[in-house]
Amino acid sequence: MAAASTKVVVRTSEPPKLRVVSRFREVVGARQILLNLIRKEVKVKYKSSVLGVAWSMLNPILYLGVFSVVFGLVVPNQTPHFAIYLLSGLLAWNLFSTSLGVGARSVIDNQNLVTKVYFPRELLPWSSVGTALVDTGFQAIVLVFFMVLLQVFEFGVNWLLLPLAVVALIVFTSAMVMFVSALNVRYRDTQYLLSIILLVWFWMTPVVYPSARLVGKEFHGIPVWKLFLLNPMADIVFAFQRVFYGQVDAVVQTSTGPKTVHVLIPVSVGFLGVLLTCVTIGSILLFLIAWRAYFLMSGDFAEEL
């Protein structure tokens, strides 16, 4: 009698199934490797650079300069303290886009480590998030500088949104980075497609234009601003803007007298808190799915590189 044929799946370095608790302990034990990877990425990024980390601070300033010219000379812009509005949204968006851009190549750029040394492979995409967090810290200094310069401070319950928004942003970004980094090892077109997706995603997130402009518009009978709530990055950006910009409506002085300008979507801080809670829970579930998918693919990285 012929023996039944069995398909054998050979994995090069990882066990066949992710066990979250034990894996988490392993990752915690390897935290020094993560810190070293972040330190290396920061050093490589600014190696032989005259300005060094100052480039992280110049990035949002250049964005501000370009969009101020565009919306000041080409397209009329009545958003009071536009610098605060733009920089608060960019703070969240730049962390997300930078993490994905660097994270997509995190495994490929460290192939010598992957093929020669064993360590939890997920540290590679997570290190890109850590590197982006360093840049975000410097960009936050720029935002605070403009807040002081323009004397824009809206301290209140709106600041309670910040911790939840930061957690949602980091978890969602980490999940997306694991997806794109694993896919890019197998399909190198991922990194090129990602740049197009991020460009479209940026304009589908109200970073530059006032989110209040979405109110009153409909798409097949559905309010457009509610459709934007399906975009996790839009929800996170809404929260960052509510924290740092603060004003849903602002009053500007015109030649005919004071005028009220609608800037942020007219929802309460409580509504944004519930929304962020939903985004955070969804991001945690997405993170677990991404972690399992990344783990299943990571065992074959050494052969595919």
Side-chain angles (χ1 to χ4, degrees), residues 18 20 23 122 126 178 287-295:
L18 172 65
V20 175
R23 187 65 170 187
E122 49 267 62
W126 291 352
M178 281 192 288
F287 179 85
L288 293 174
I289 294 171
W291 195 358
R292 290 184 182 278
Y294 182 91
F295 184 82

Side-chain angles (χ1 to χ4, degrees), residues 8-241:
V8 178
V9 178
V10 178
R11 295 175 58 76
T12 56
S13 62
E14 298 287 5
K17 185 178 180 181
L18 172 65
R19 300 189 181 280
V20 175
V21 176
S22 60
R23 187 65 170 187
F24 179 75
R25 289 173 181 165
E26 184 179 357
V27 169
V28 171
R31 60 187 179 276
Q32 190 59 46
I33 298 177
L34 176 61
L35 294 175
N36 289 337
L37 287 170
I38 295 172
R39 192 178 298 116
K40 185 201 75 170
E41 289 293 336
V42 172
K43 286 183 178 179
V44 169
K45 184 175 182 178
Y46 299 112
K47 184 180 180 180
S48 301
S49 172
V50 175
L51 296 179
V53 295
W55 282 113
S56 296
M57 304 171 74
L58 285 174
N59 178 279
I61 293 176
L62 292 174
Y63 266 99
L64 177 61
V66 171
F67 287 119
S68 293
V69 171
V70 171
F71 288 104
L73 300 178
V74 182
V75 181
N77 175 35
Q78 295 183 325
T79 305
H81 305 307
F82 178 67
I84 309 301
Y85 179 84
L86 177 65
L87 293 175
S88 60
L90 280 177
L91 195 65
W93 177 262
N94 282 349
L95 189 149
F96 176 70
S97 61
T98 301
S99 297
L100 262 64
V102 176
R105 292 191 55 84
S106 60
V107 179
I108 297 172
D109 289 344
N110 291 280
Q111 57 181 308
N112 288 335
L113 285 175
V114 174
T115 55
K116 296 178 181 178
V117 182
Y118 174 77
F119 61 95
R121 303 291 189 242
E122 49 267 62
L123 296 183
L124 293 172
W126 291 352
S127 68
S128 66
V129 180
T131 304
L133 277 169
V134 174
D135 288 343
T136 301
F138 289 105
Q139 292 174 13
I141 296 175
V142 177
L143 173 57
V144 171
F145 170 78
F146 275 94
M147 290 176 71
V148 173
L149 180 67
L150 300 175
Q151 296 184 349
V152 177
F153 299 98
E154 292 291 334
F155 293 113
V157 293
N158 54 316
W159 279 80
L160 296 176
L161 295 172
L162 185 58
L164 191 55
V166 170
V167 170
L169 175 61
I170 293 175
V171 176
F172 179 70
T173 301
S174 300
M176 294 301 298
V177 167
M178 281 192 288
F179 274 128
V180 298
S181 61
L183 284 173
N184 197 47
V185 174
R186 185 167 297 179
Y187 309 105
R188 302 300 168 89
D189 292 337
T190 302
Q191 58 191 321
Y192 306 112
L193 181 61
L194 179 63
S195 61
I196 299 173
I197 293 174
L198 285 175
L199 178 61
V200 175
W201 203 334
F202 175 77
W203 289 106
M204 292 300 293
T205 305
V207 175
V208 178
Y209 51 89
S211 55
R213 292 188 180 180
L214 303 173
V215 179
K217 295 180 174 59
E218 293 187 351
F219 179 77
H220 293 291
I222 305 174
V224 171
W225 74 271
K226 290 185 178 181
L227 290 176
F228 269 64
L229 298 182
L230 299 175
N231 174 4
M233 280 308 300
D235 301 332
I236 293 169
V237 166
F238 287 151
F240 269 76
Q241 291 166 343

